[in-house]
Amino acid sequence: MTARFKDLALDATDHQALADWWCRAMGYVRRDSLTGDTRPDDWPVPIVDPDGNGPLIWLNPVPERKTVKNRMHLDVFGDPAELAELGATLIRTRDADIDWEVMADPEGNEFCVFTPR
């Protein structure tokens, strides 16, 4: 084996706020709230599925804003209207070519939203 999956990582200029946004959007929690750990505010923030089903996601602080389309993105099951109420932006609606919505989180990171089956 050359490599195996470990975690996901998202860059953000305000990684603290984006960690909170993704926690609200996906029902995740900050890992430190479960472990009792503390870390400086300028360190990456790990968020987790409290049920242990989803992957660990790191929100990493970066100085630059997002300027081009993501080459990798998250796919989630959810309700685009509810995500928009939380602050996501609808980029593309489902149509004859795609069976999902393309949205962006508050910092512009694209993700695809699928209807749960």
Side-chain angles (χ1 to χ4, degrees), residues 21-23 29 31 41 44 46 58 72 74 77 101 104 109 117:
W21 188 86
W22 278 105
C23 284
V29 297
R31 185 180 67 184
D41 287 344
W58 288 92
M72 185 180 291
L74 301 179
F77 289 114
E101 274 80 22
N109 298 302
R117 295 179 188 200

Side-chain angles (χ1 to χ4, degrees), residues 5-78:
F5 182 80
K6 180 182 176 293
D7 304 325
L8 295 173
L10 293 174
D11 291 347
T13 56
D14 186 347
H15 67 295
Q16 296 288 340
L18 200 59
D20 291 339
W21 188 86
W22 278 105
C23 284
R24 284 190 309 278
M26 294 190 12
Y28 269 44
V29 297
R30 289 175 179 243
R31 185 180 67 184
D32 296 346
S33 71
L34 300 176
T35 63
D37 294 336
T38 58
R39 63 186 62 239
D41 287 344
D42 60 342
W43 283 19
V45 176
I47 63 172
V48 296
D49 177 347
D51 296 328
N53 295 319
L56 172 70
I57 301 174
W58 288 92
L59 284 292
N60 299 321
V62 296
E64 70 279 354
R65 298 188 81 56
K66 182 182 168 307
T67 58
V68 297
K69 184 181 181 302
N70 296 22
R71 295 295 300 257
M72 185 180 291
H73 65 267
L74 301 179
D75 285 349
V76 302
F77 289 114

